[in-house]
Amino acid sequence: LRKELHFLPVMERIEYKIGILMYKVLNGDAPRYLADTIAKRSKKYTGLRKDDDITLLEEVSDPDKDKITDRGISSAGPALWNKLPRSIREAENVTRFKSLLKTHLFPRTLR
């Protein structure tokens, strides 16, 4: 029934919600207190192909802290965002982003 209705399982639903939140943060549609916790990645090297992607976010992780701290939006959000294909991150509006993201996440549920 879940497949027929295109419902995402819990983990993919969480990733879906975080992805939407990151899209809104980057496009100025999220609350300020959330936007302040997310940092865009600065260019470290000019001319390198990996630095051409301006849609990537700075990933924050502290190896000395517990894994539970990696669940915070300032850590989990950028990690998830950076794993998404560039074509999804560059969606022209939130409706298109939601569609692309769900299409990206749904096939993982069929395995």
Side-chain angles (χ1 to χ4, degrees):
L1 181 65
R2 187 181 77 224
K3 291 177 187 176
E4 292 173 21
L5 297 174
H6 295 270
F7 286 169
L8 293 170
V10 174
M11 288 308 295
E12 282 76 13
R13 181 80 176 155
I14 292 169
E15 290 181 13
Y16 178 77
K17 291 292 191 177
I18 292 173
I20 293 169
L21 191 58
M22 290 296 97
Y23 183 88
K24 288 181 176 184
V25 163
L26 290 172
N27 290 286
D29 295 330
R32 185 92 177 130
Y33 72 92
L34 287 176
D36 290 344
T37 65
I38 307 298
K40 289 186 179 179
R41 192 172 66 111
S42 59
K43 286 193 170 192
K44 294 179 183 168
Y45 308 101
T46 56
L48 292 180
R49 189 178 307 161
K50 72 176 190 172
D51 263 4
D52 287 345
D53 191 351
I54 60 169
T55 64
L56 293 175
L57 297 175
E58 195 69 47
E59 291 189 44
V60 180
S61 71
D62 188 348
D64 297 332
K65 294 202 176 183
D66 299 339
K67 282 285 185 190
I68 196 124
T69 57
D70 290 340
R71 297 180 190 172
I73 195 68
S74 62
S75 180
L80 174 80
W81 182 260
N82 291 344
K83 289 179 187 174
L84 292 175
R86 189 174 186 171
S87 59
I88 295 175
R89 292 192 312 259
E90 293 177 342
E92 58 273 6
N93 57 52
V94 72
T95 304
R96 180 72 178 137
F97 177 79
K98 287 178 181 181
S99 174
L100 291 170
L101 181 58
K102 193 166 184 182
T103 301
H104 174 73
L105 293 173
F106 193 74
R108 292 183 1 193
T109 67
L110 301 175
R111 291 184 210 151

